[in-house]
Amino acid sequence: MRESAKLEIASTPENIINKTDSIALRDISTESTSSSTNVQTEAQSKNGQISKESGLTIVRRLSGKKSQQQSELEQYICSDSQPPSVTTGYCSYLENRLKMQPTSLNDDLERIDLTTENLPAVDTPDACDKAAIRLRCLLRQLQRGEISAELLQKNLHYAARVLEAVFIDETNDDGSRLSTEPSERDGHNKLKKSNSIAVTEHRRGVPSTPQTHSGPTGLPDGKNAVGKSFIQRRRLRQPVWARSSSQKKRLADEDDELSEVQPDAVPPEVREWLASTFTRQLATTRKKSDEKPKFRSVAHAIRAGIFVDRIYRRVSSTALMQFPPEVVKVLKHLDEWSFDVFALADSGNCMPVKYIGYDLLNRYGMIHKFKVPSATLETFLSRIEEGYCRFRNPYHNNLHAADVAQTVHHVLCQTGLMHWLTDLEIFATLVAALIHDYEHTGTTNNFHVQSGSDTAMLYNDRAVLENHHISAAFRVLKDDDCNILQNLSRDEYRELRTLIIDMVLATDMSFHFQQLKNMKNLLTLAEPSVDKSKALSLVLHCCDISHPAKKWDLHHKWTMLLLEEFFRQGDLERELGLPFSPLCDRNNTLVAESQIGFIEFIVEPSMAVCSDMLEIILAPIAPIANSNNNNSLSNKAISSSSNDEVAANTLNVPKEASSEAIVCEKKDDKPMSGDVEKPTRFKIKKPWVTCLLENKKIWKEQAVKDAEARALAAAEQENEKKSLEIPAVETKVEE
Ligand code: CMP
Ligand code: MG
Ligand code: ZN
């Protein structure tokens, strides 16, 4: 029966696309598009689930022709052809030291004991230092022809293991590397050394333990959540789809270099060494511990290094999801307030959740920070997408999920909110947006309750759908091939789960007025301290109801789709003998009026409170919030939208600043003579304001027309009625 099919929420589908999450050395012939790779090295259990640990994160060098004097091994180990600002971590430090203090470093190098077993653990900052010095020392000895193969192998092995734990981000091409990395993994034991070396000064206050979000500030030590000591300047990563051309060029350059050292001539023992050192499966091919590979010559070692580098780059390119060109074209506009998710669905085989989900998690650095295997993410997103399509809803489908995720992204990056949040909070927010209506039945909570659906029974009539969205999505995450949280520590997992639950439960519209009232009250306090979870819940809720605040074409499309969904529910209600839910009677619904009401009573007040909240919580980090997203690709790619111009003009700020949050603050702390200094408020850009006004205006015009049409129809009906009545009277008279 149709109703019962509607009432039930189907369980997770069995036919999941099974993709291996191992990316080890498959199809290395493909051209690289990325600098990163994750090689699965060992299985281990986290969050009570079997998971894999990614050993090597990124080992990648920029290219450039090197001087003849430098050995090729030196090029591989630590390229000094990179500009100092791009050269990351210890390499640049060492290079500088070499230039500035040649004598003392040379002396240091002479004193290195390459035979010692007493080396720091590979995942400690000290190891980086030691490995780099040892490599320098090896170089020197190689040049003198003094080194034994055994010592060379031993020390290269150690250096390789150190590199496995090192993360080098080269996506930042403007040289300001320090600000590209959101943060190291809070409380995770696999901190990326070069990263942490480089960024710690700039990212003061990233809590070292997972946050509880339980206190008023959401911070463990009770400090003000908006206090400067806890902020971090973030810049988004370059999208996967945008990397290809520049990196292909770089690869081509490097291939030129590689041809000079005949990479094709990598001898078998080098391959064996590579296999035993850097891969898991092939490590077993070495049968006995005494069958150690031997290098025929130093040149082999050089080739080995370069060969490894190439393998990793190619492995990484096969691992990262591919974006069709038409999808890329649409995604270039991802930062815009009125992003067209319908266009994305059209261009991307109707898989907007997959493309937006992947792109966002990559741009915010989540894939790297939380070691999300690329294939697992792809499978997870596909499963989520499937769940959204299960009930073939006109509105609550994968497009809506992608739309909400994109809107959340806009708020995070354009207001500067992302600087206020930890990596884990951003991860939670993006995942919450993606799953927030998962397996929506196309019927409302009221319908579930009134019809006594299984889901209503399960959740006792409370937030029926919202509970289901969360629960079903977390079930998906329990499947190994979908578990994007597999490399989170137990604490991280708990924190993220709590945040997601809070945020998605708060999308229940029955909580709307209470939520708004609570936040409003909080913001009236002299020193409001806003809970991160509450702030993010309000942001998600606003994004969930944001389509009336987008450009008319989008809003109109969404409204028609939602009304069709409501009307289908009305049809069901009629069949079941239930009273019509509001807006569900297709014959008696005032569309324009309902939309005016929805905008005036729900959307506008929500956006107003959310804006106030953002301006208050971001004010203390105004300079950082204001400087956000300079590397936003779409900001570079497109000119400012008309709304940006409106905002910029209204507030009289330079146009360059218009794509970002706007701060109006006094220049220094000293009051000007005679004036009572009134600190001006931090302002965010609000592209929704003009859209809301415009849409309301159109609906009002529509309402007038609809009223006229209704009056006309009523008059016609009346006339018809009368014309039918007269002959009846006449007939009577005749009789
Ligand atoms: P959901 O997306 O689950 O959460 C927000 C809800 O707001 C949404 O479901 C709809 O029920 C409701 N909603 C969104 N847009 C409109 C609209 N234009 N008119 C009326 N209700 C809406
Ligand atoms: Mg919902
Ligand atoms: Zn929704």
Side-chain angles (χ1 to χ4, degrees), residues 597-670:
F598 190 65
I599 290 174
E600 285 184 343
F601 297 109
I602 307 291
V603 186
E604 278 179 343
S606 303
M607 299 309 273
V609 175
C610 192
S611 308
D612 285 351
M613 176 194 80
L614 290 171
E615 286 174 351
I616 286 169
I617 61 181
L618 299 178
I621 59 164
I624 284 178
N626 196 35
S627 68
N628 78 76
N629 206 26
N630 288 330
N631 67 339
S632 158
L633 195 102
S634 42
N635 276 354
K636 277 183 190 162
I638 55 160
S639 57
S640 321
S641 71
S642 54
N643 285 323
D644 292 343
E645 287 181 24
V646 170
N649 295 339
T650 317
L651 288 147
N652 201 20
V653 294
K655 193 138 174 250
E656 313 82 80
S658 66
S659 63
E660 294 154 10
I662 295 157
V663 67
C664 311
E665 58 182 1
K666 61 196 178 89
K667 286 276 179 285
D668 57 44
D669 291 338
K670 290 178 200 137

Coordinates of all heavy atoms in Angstrom, one line a residue, residues 597-670:
G597 N 4.7 35.1 4.8 CA 4.6 34.8 6.2 C 5.9 34.1 6.7 O 6.5 34.4 7.7
F598 N 6.3 33.1 5.9 CA 7.5 32.3 6.2 C 8.8 33.2 6.2 O 9.6 33.1 7.1 CB 7.7 31.2 5.2 CG 8.8 30.2 5.6 CD1 8.6 29.4 6.7 CD2 10.0 30.1 4.8 CE1 9.6 28.5 7.1 CE2 11.0 29.2 5.2 CZ 10.8 28.4 6.3
I599 N 8.8 34.2 5.3 CA 9.9 35.1 5.3 C 9.9 36.0 6.5 O 10.9 36.2 7.2 CB 10.0 35.9 3.9 CG1 10.3 35.0 2.8 CG2 11.0 37.0 4.0 CD1 10.3 35.6 1.4
E600 N 8.7 36.6 6.7 CA 8.7 37.7 7.7 C 8.7 37.1 9.1 O 9.4 37.7 10.0 CB 7.4 38.5 7.5 CG 7.5 39.4 6.4 CD 6.2 40.3 6.2 OE1 5.2 40.0 6.8 OE2 6.3 41.3 5.5
F601 N 8.1 36.0 9.4 CA 8.1 35.5 10.7 C 9.1 34.5 11.1 O 9.4 34.2 12.2 CB 6.7 34.9 11.0 CG 5.6 36.0 10.9 CD1 4.7 36.0 9.9 CD2 5.6 37.0 11.9 CE1 3.7 37.0 9.8 CE2 4.6 38.0 11.8 CZ 3.7 38.0 10.7
I602 N 9.7 33.8 10.1 CA 10.7 32.8 10.4 C 12.0 33.2 9.9 O 13.0 33.2 10.6 CB 10.2 31.4 9.7 CG1 8.8 31.0 10.2 CG2 11.2 30.3 10.1 CD1 8.6 30.7 11.6
V603 N 12.2 33.4 8.6 CA 13.5 33.5 8.0 C 14.2 34.8 8.4 O 15.3 34.8 8.9 CB 13.5 33.4 6.4 CG1 14.9 33.4 5.9 CG2 12.8 32.1 6.0
E604 N 13.5 35.9 8.2 CA 14.1 37.2 8.5 C 14.6 37.3 10.0 O 15.7 37.6 10.3 CB 13.2 38.4 8.2 CG 13.3 38.8 6.7 CD 12.3 39.9 6.3 OE1 11.4 40.3 7.1 OE2 12.5 40.5 5.3
P605 N 13.7 36.9 11.0 CA 14.2 37.0 12.4 C 15.3 36.0 12.6 O 16.3 36.4 13.4 CB 12.9 36.6 13.2 CG 11.8 36.7 12.3 CD 12.3 36.6 10.9
S606 N 15.3 34.9 12.0 CA 16.4 33.9 12.2 C 17.7 34.5 11.7 O 18.8 34.4 12.3 CB 16.1 32.6 11.4 OG 14.9 32.1 11.8
M607 N 17.7 35.0 10.5 CA 18.9 35.6 9.9 C 19.4 36.8 10.7 O 20.6 37.0 10.8 CB 18.7 36.0 8.4 CG 18.3 34.9 7.5 SD 19.3 33.5 7.5 CE 20.6 33.9 6.4
A608 N 18.5 37.5 11.2 CA 18.9 38.7 12.0 C 19.6 38.3 13.3 O 20.6 38.8 13.7 CB 17.6 39.6 12.4
V609 N 19.0 37.3 14.0 CA 19.6 36.8 15.3 C 21.0 36.2 14.9 O 22.0 36.4 15.6 CB 18.7 35.8 16.0 CG1 19.4 35.3 17.2 CG2 17.4 36.6 16.4
C610 N 21.0 35.4 13.9 CA 22.2 34.7 13.5 C 23.3 35.7 13.2 O 24.5 35.6 13.6 CB 22.0 33.8 12.3 SG 23.3 32.7 12.0
S611 N 22.9 36.8 12.4 CA 23.9 37.8 12.1 C 24.5 38.5 13.3 O 25.7 38.7 13.5 CB 23.3 38.9 11.2 OG 22.7 38.3 10.1
D612 N 23.5 38.9 14.2 CA 23.9 39.5 15.5 C 24.9 38.6 16.2 O 26.0 39.1 16.7 CB 22.7 39.8 16.4 CG 21.9 41.0 15.9 OD1 22.4 41.6 15.0 OD2 20.8 41.2 16.4
M613 N 24.5 37.3 16.3 CA 25.4 36.4 17.0 C 26.8 36.4 16.4 O 27.8 36.5 17.1 CB 24.8 35.0 17.0 CG 25.6 33.9 17.6 SD 25.0 32.3 17.2 CE 25.7 32.1 15.6
L614 N 26.8 36.3 15.1 CA 28.1 36.2 14.4 C 29.0 37.5 14.6 O 30.2 37.4 14.9 CB 27.9 35.9 12.9 CG 27.4 34.6 12.5 CD1 27.0 34.5 11.0 CD2 28.4 33.5 12.8
E615 N 28.3 38.6 14.6 CA 29.0 39.8 14.7 C 29.6 39.9 16.2 O 30.6 40.5 16.4 CB 28.1 41.0 14.4 CG 27.9 41.1 12.9 CD 27.0 42.2 12.4 OE1 26.3 42.8 13.2 OE2 26.9 42.4 11.2
I616 N 28.8 39.4 17.1 CA 29.3 39.5 18.5 C 30.4 38.5 18.7 O 31.5 38.8 19.3 CB 28.1 39.2 19.5 CG1 27.3 40.5 19.5 CG2 28.6 38.9 20.9 CD1 26.0 40.4 20.2
I617 N 30.3 37.3 18.3 CA 31.3 36.3 18.6 C 32.6 36.5 17.7 O 33.7 36.2 18.1 CB 30.8 34.8 18.4 CG1 30.4 34.5 17.0 CG2 29.8 34.4 19.4 CD1 29.9 33.1 16.8
L618 N 32.4 37.1 16.6 CA 33.6 37.3 15.7 C 34.3 38.7 16.0 O 35.4 38.9 15.5 CB 33.2 37.2 14.3 CG 32.7 35.8 13.9 CD1 32.3 35.8 12.4 CD2 33.7 34.7 14.2
A619 N 33.6 39.6 16.7 CA 34.2 40.9 16.9 C 35.6 40.8 17.5 O 36.5 41.5 17.1 CB 33.3 41.7 17.8
P620 N 35.8 40.0 18.6 CA 37.2 39.9 19.1 C 38.2 39.4 18.2 O 39.4 39.6 18.4 CB 37.0 39.0 20.3 CG 35.6 38.9 20.6 CD 34.9 39.1 19.3
I621 N 37.8 38.7 17.1 CA 38.8 38.2 16.2 C 38.7 39.0 14.8 O 39.0 38.4 13.8 CB 38.8 36.7 16.0 CG1 37.4 36.3 15.5 CG2 39.1 36.0 17.3 CD1 37.4 34.8 14.9
A622 N 38.2 40.2 14.9 CA 37.8 40.9 13.7 C 38.9 41.0 12.7 O 38.7 40.7 11.5 CB 37.3 42.3 14.1
P623 N 40.2 41.3 13.1 CA 41.2 41.4 12.0 C 41.4 40.1 11.3 O 41.6 40.1 10.1 CB 42.5 41.8 12.8 CG 42.0 42.3 14.1 CD 40.7 41.6 14.4
I624 N 41.3 39.0 12.0 CA 41.5 37.7 11.4 C 40.2 37.3 10.6 O 40.3 36.9 9.4 CB 41.8 36.6 12.4 CG1 43.3 36.8 12.8 CG2 41.6 35.2 11.9 CD1 43.7 35.9 13.9
A625 N 39.1 37.5 11.2 CA 37.8 37.2 10.4 C 37.8 38.1 9.2 O 37.3 37.6 8.1 CB 36.6 37.5 11.3
N626 N 38.2 39.3 9.3 CA 38.2 40.2 8.1 C 39.1 39.8 7.0 O 38.8 40.1 5.8 CB 38.5 41.6 8.6 CG 38.1 42.6 7.6 OD1 37.1 42.5 7.0 ND2 38.9 43.7 7.5
S627 N 40.2 39.2 7.4 CA 41.2 38.8 6.4 C 41.0 37.4 5.8 O 41.9 36.9 5.2 CB 42.6 38.9 7.0 OG 42.7 37.9 7.9
N628 N 39.8 36.9 6.1 CA 39.6 35.5 5.7 C 39.6 35.3 4.2 O 39.3 36.1 3.4 CB 38.3 35.0 6.3 CG 37.1 35.4 5.5 OD1 36.8 34.9 4.5 ND2 36.4 36.4 6.0
N629 N 39.9 34.0 3.9 CA 39.6 33.5 2.6 C 40.3 34.2 1.4 O 39.7 34.3 0.4 CB 38.1 33.5 2.4 CG 37.7 32.4 1.5 OD1 38.4 31.4 1.3 ND2 36.6 32.6 0.8
N630 N 41.4 34.8 1.7 CA 42.1 35.4 0.5 C 42.4 34.4 -0.6 O 42.6 34.8 -1.7 CB 43.4 36.1 1.0 CG 43.0 37.3 1.8 OD1 42.0 37.9 1.6 ND2 43.9 37.6 2.8
N631 N 42.6 33.2 -0.2 CA 42.9 32.2 -1.2 C 41.7 31.5 -1.8 O 41.8 30.5 -2.5 CB 43.9 31.1 -0.7 CG 43.2 30.3 0.4 OD1 42.2 30.7 1.0 ND2 43.8 29.1 0.6
S632 N 40.5 32.0 -1.5 CA 39.3 31.4 -2.0 C 39.4 31.5 -3.5 O 39.5 32.5 -4.1 CB 38.1 32.2 -1.5 OG 37.0 31.9 -2.3
L633 N 39.3 30.3 -4.1 CA 39.5 30.2 -5.5 C 38.4 30.9 -6.3 O 38.7 31.7 -7.2 CB 39.5 28.7 -5.9 CG 40.0 28.6 -7.4 CD1 41.4 28.1 -7.3 CD2 39.1 27.7 -8.2
S634 N 37.2 30.7 -5.8 CA 36.1 31.4 -6.5 C 36.1 32.9 -6.4 O 35.7 33.6 -7.2 CB 34.8 30.8 -6.1 OG 34.7 30.6 -4.7
N635 N 36.7 33.3 -5.2 CA 36.8 34.8 -5.1 C 37.8 35.3 -6.1 O 37.6 36.4 -6.6 CB 37.3 35.1 -3.7 CG 36.1 35.2 -2.7 OD1 35.0 35.1 -3.1 ND2 36.4 35.4 -1.5
K636 N 38.8 34.6 -6.4 CA 39.7 35.0 -7.4 C 39.1 34.9 -8.8 O 39.4 35.7 -9.6 CB 41.0 34.1 -7.3 CG 41.9 34.6 -6.2 CD 43.2 33.7 -6.3 CE 44.1 33.9 -5.1 NZ 45.0 32.8 -4.9
A637 N 38.4 33.8 -8.9 CA 37.9 33.5 -10.3 C 36.8 34.4 -10.7 O 36.7 34.6 -11.9 CB 37.5 32.0 -10.3
I638 N 36.0 34.9 -9.8 CA 34.9 35.7 -10.2 C 34.9 37.1 -9.6 O 35.5 37.3 -8.6 CB 33.6 35.0 -9.8 CG1 33.6 34.7 -8.3 CG2 33.3 33.7 -10.6 CD1 32.2 34.5 -7.8
S639 N 34.3 38.0 -10.3 CA 34.3 39.3 -9.7 C 33.2 39.4 -8.6 O 32.4 38.5 -8.5 CB 34.0 40.3 -10.8 OG 32.8 40.0 -11.4
S640 N 33.3 40.4 -7.8 CA 32.3 40.6 -6.7 C 30.9 40.6 -7.2 O 30.6 41.1 -8.3 CB 32.5 41.9 -6.0 OG 33.8 42.2 -5.9
S641 N 30.0 39.9 -6.5 CA 28.6 39.9 -6.9 C 28.0 41.2 -6.6 O 28.6 42.1 -5.9 CB 27.9 38.8 -6.1 OG 27.8 39.2 -4.8
S642 N 26.8 41.4 -7.1 CA 26.2 42.7 -6.9 C 25.9 42.9 -5.4 O 26.0 44.0 -4.9 CB 24.9 42.8 -7.7 OG 24.1 41.6 -7.4
N643 N 25.6 41.8 -4.7 CA 25.4 42.0 -3.3 C 26.6 42.5 -2.6 O 26.6 43.2 -1.6 CB 24.9 40.7 -2.7 CG 23.5 40.4 -3.1 OD1 22.7 41.3 -3.1 ND2 23.2 39.2 -3.3
D644 N 27.7 41.9 -3.0 CA 29.0 42.4 -2.4 C 29.1 43.9 -2.6 O 29.5 44.6 -1.7 CB 30.2 41.7 -3.1 CG 30.2 40.2 -2.8 OD1 29.5 39.8 -1.8 OD2 30.9 39.5 -3.5
E645 N 28.8 44.3 -3.8 CA 28.9 45.7 -4.1 C 28.0 46.5 -3.2 O 28.4 47.6 -2.7 CB 28.6 46.0 -5.5 CG 29.8 45.5 -6.4 CD 29.5 45.7 -7.9 OE1 28.7 46.7 -8.2 OE2 30.0 45.0 -8.7
V646 N 26.8 46.0 -3.0 CA 25.9 46.7 -2.2 C 26.5 46.9 -0.8 O 26.5 47.9 -0.2 CB 24.5 46.0 -2.1 CG1 23.6 46.6 -1.0 CG2 23.8 46.1 -3.5
A647 N 27.0 45.7 -0.3 CA 27.5 45.8 1.1 C 28.7 46.7 1.2 O 28.8 47.5 2.1 CB 27.9 44.4 1.5
A648 N 29.5 46.6 0.2 CA 30.7 47.5 0.2 C 30.4 48.9 0.1 O 30.9 49.8 0.8 CB 31.7 47.1 -1.0
N649 N 29.4 49.2 -0.8 CA 29.1 50.6 -1.0 C 28.4 51.2 0.3 O 28.7 52.3 0.7 CB 28.1 50.8 -2.2 CG 28.9 50.4 -3.5 OD1 30.1 50.5 -3.5 ND2 28.2 50.1 -4.5
T650 N 27.5 50.4 0.8 CA 26.7 50.8 1.9 C 27.6 51.2 3.1 O 27.5 52.2 3.8 CB 25.7 49.8 2.4 OG1 25.1 49.2 1.3 CG2 24.7 50.3 3.3
L651 N 28.6 50.3 3.3 CA 29.5 50.5 4.4 C 30.7 51.3 4.1 O 31.6 51.4 4.9 CB 29.8 49.1 5.0 CG 28.6 48.5 5.7 CD1 28.6 47.0 5.6 CD2 28.6 49.0 7.2
N652 N 30.8 51.7 2.9 CA 31.9 52.5 2.5 C 33.3 51.9 2.7 O 34.2 52.4 3.4 CB 31.8 53.9 3.2 CG 32.6 54.9 2.4 OD1 32.9 54.7 1.2 ND2 33.0 56.0 3.1
V653 N 33.4 50.6 2.3 CA 34.7 50.0 2.5 C 35.3 49.7 1.1 O 34.5 49.7 0.1 CB 34.6 48.6 3.2 CG1 34.1 48.8 4.6 CG2 33.6 47.7 2.5
P654 N 36.6 49.6 1.0 CA 37.2 49.3 -0.3 C 36.6 48.1 -0.9 O 36.2 47.1 -0.2 CB 38.6 49.1 0.0 CG 38.9 49.4 1.4 CD 37.5 49.5 2.1
K655 N 36.5 48.1 -2.2 CA 35.8 47.0 -2.9 C 36.6 45.6 -2.6 O 35.9 44.6 -2.5 CB 35.8 47.2 -4.4 CG 34.9 46.3 -5.1 CD 34.1 47.0 -6.2 CE 33.3 46.0 -7.0 NZ 33.8 45.9 -8.3
E656 N 37.9 45.7 -2.5 CA 38.6 44.4 -2.3 C 38.1 43.7 -1.0 O 38.2 42.5 -0.9 CB 40.1 44.6 -2.1 CG 40.8 45.5 -3.1 CD 40.7 46.9 -2.8 OE1 41.4 47.4 -1.9 OE2 39.8 47.6 -3.4
A657 N 37.7 44.5 0.0 CA 37.3 43.9 1.2 C 35.8 43.4 1.1 O 35.4 42.8 2.1 CB 37.4 44.9 2.3
S658 N 35.2 43.7 0.0 CA 33.8 43.4 0.0 C 33.4 42.0 0.0 O 32.3 41.6 0.3 CB 33.1 44.1 -1.2 OG 33.6 43.5 -2.3
S659 N 34.3 41.1 -0.4 CA 34.0 39.7 -0.4 C 34.2 39.1 0.9 O 34.0 37.9 1.1 CB 34.8 39.0 -1.5 OG 36.1 39.1 -1.2
E660 N 34.5 39.8 1.9 CA 34.8 39.3 3.2 C 34.0 40.0 4.2 O 33.3 41.0 3.9 CB 36.3 39.4 3.5 CG 37.1 38.6 2.5 CD 38.5 39.2 2.4 OE1 38.8 40.1 3.1 OE2 39.2 38.7 1.5
A661 N 34.1 39.5 5.4 CA 33.4 40.2 6.5 C 34.0 41.6 6.6 O 35.1 41.9 6.2 CB 33.7 39.5 7.8
I662 N 33.2 42.5 7.0 CA 33.6 43.9 7.1 C 33.7 44.3 8.5 O 32.8 44.1 9.3 CB 32.5 44.8 6.4 CG1 32.5 44.4 4.9 CG2 32.8 46.2 6.6 CD1 31.2 44.7 4.2
V663 N 34.8 44.9 8.8 CA 35.0 45.4 10.2 C 35.1 46.9 10.2 O 35.7 47.5 9.4 CB 36.2 44.8 10.8 CG1 37.5 45.2 10.2 CG2 36.2 45.1 12.3
C664 N 34.3 47.5 11.0 CA 34.3 48.9 11.2 C 34.9 49.1 12.6 O 34.1 49.0 13.6 CB 33.0 49.5 11.1 SG 32.1 49.0 9.6
E665 N 36.1 49.4 12.7 CA 36.7 49.5 14.1 C 37.6 50.7 14.1 O 38.2 51.1 13.1 CB 37.4 48.3 14.5 CG 38.5 47.9 13.5 CD 39.2 46.6 13.9 OE1 38.8 46.0 14.9 OE2 40.1 46.3 13.2
K666 N 37.8 51.2 15.3 CA 38.7 52.3 15.4 C 40.1 51.8 15.2 O 40.4 50.7 15.5 CB 38.5 53.1 16.7 CG 38.8 52.2 18.0 CD 38.2 52.9 19.2 CE 38.4 52.1 20.4 NZ 39.6 52.4 21.1
K667 N 41.0 52.8 14.8 CA 42.3 52.3 14.4 C 43.2 52.0 15.6 O 44.0 51.1 15.5 CB 43.0 53.4 13.6 CG 42.4 53.4 12.2 CD 43.1 52.4 11.3 CE 42.5 52.4 9.9 NZ 41.2 51.7 9.8
D668 N 43.1 52.7 16.7 CA 43.9 52.4 17.8 C 43.0 52.5 19.1 O 41.9 52.9 19.0 CB 45.1 53.3 17.9 CG 44.8 54.7 18.0 OD1 43.9 55.1 18.7 OD2 45.4 55.5 17.3
D669 N 43.6 52.2 20.2 CA 42.9 52.2 21.4 C 42.7 53.5 22.1 O 42.0 53.6 23.1 CB 43.5 51.2 22.4 CG 43.4 49.8 21.9 OD1 42.5 49.6 21.1 OD2 44.2 48.9 22.3
K670 N 43.5 54.5 21.7 CA 43.4 55.8 22.4 C 42.2 56.6 22.0 O 42.0 56.8 20.8 CB 44.7 56.6 22.0 CG 45.9 56.0 22.7 CD 47.1 56.8 22.3 CE 48.4 56.0 22.4 NZ 49.3 56.1 21.3

